[in-house]
Amino acid sequence: MKLSRNALISILIIVSIALDQISKVLVRLYVTPYQETELIGKYFILTNVENSGAFLGMGSDLNPTLRLIFLLLLPIAVLGYVLFHIIKNKDLDKWSLMGFCVIIGGGIANVYDRIVYGSVTDFFHIDLGGVFKTGIFNVADMFVMLGLGFLILGNFKNKKA
């Protein structure tokens, strides 16, 4: 049985949201806020932090009206536009389609947190001894980055063809 294109889009978005939300529920239940737990030495750390801003806390110091505009309304409008675009544009390659779907899923998951909790739960941190270091992030952020990787891969594959 072959899935319809719209069913595939729905499944990718729903699975992205579900995996993110399940991980955040588990972190909220079992990880004490701000307590660091080493998962793989000091390289991969689990900690529970509530982020009232966007990426790396940017925008957390904005006044409430600007936060509403830039962290809720604008992302909702952009996610809606991208969803409309991928449903209407039947010519997207599979990598770009998957990329946009997981980006939308990750975006919706973080917007949901902002609406329901007033902040986004972040919990992963990577530090490879100064060679590579991240801020604290979550599964939705990973889906957004994975989606970006899929879009780049799709772009390279399309240029070769």
Side-chain angles (χ1 to χ4, degrees), residues 127-149:
D127 185 353
L128 302 179
V131 175
F132 176 79
K133 186 175 182 175
T134 67
I136 302 172
F137 60 97
N138 59 41
V139 172
D141 300 332
M142 292 178 1
F143 277 120
V144 170
M145 295 306 294
L146 177 66
L148 204 56

Side-chain angles (χ1 to χ4, degrees), residues 27 47-51 120-124 136-138 141:
V27 166
T47 186
N48 178 353
V49 176
E50 291 300 319
N51 179 358
V120 175
T121 303
D122 289 334
F123 48 90
F124 286 131
I136 302 172
F137 60 97
N138 59 41
D141 300 332

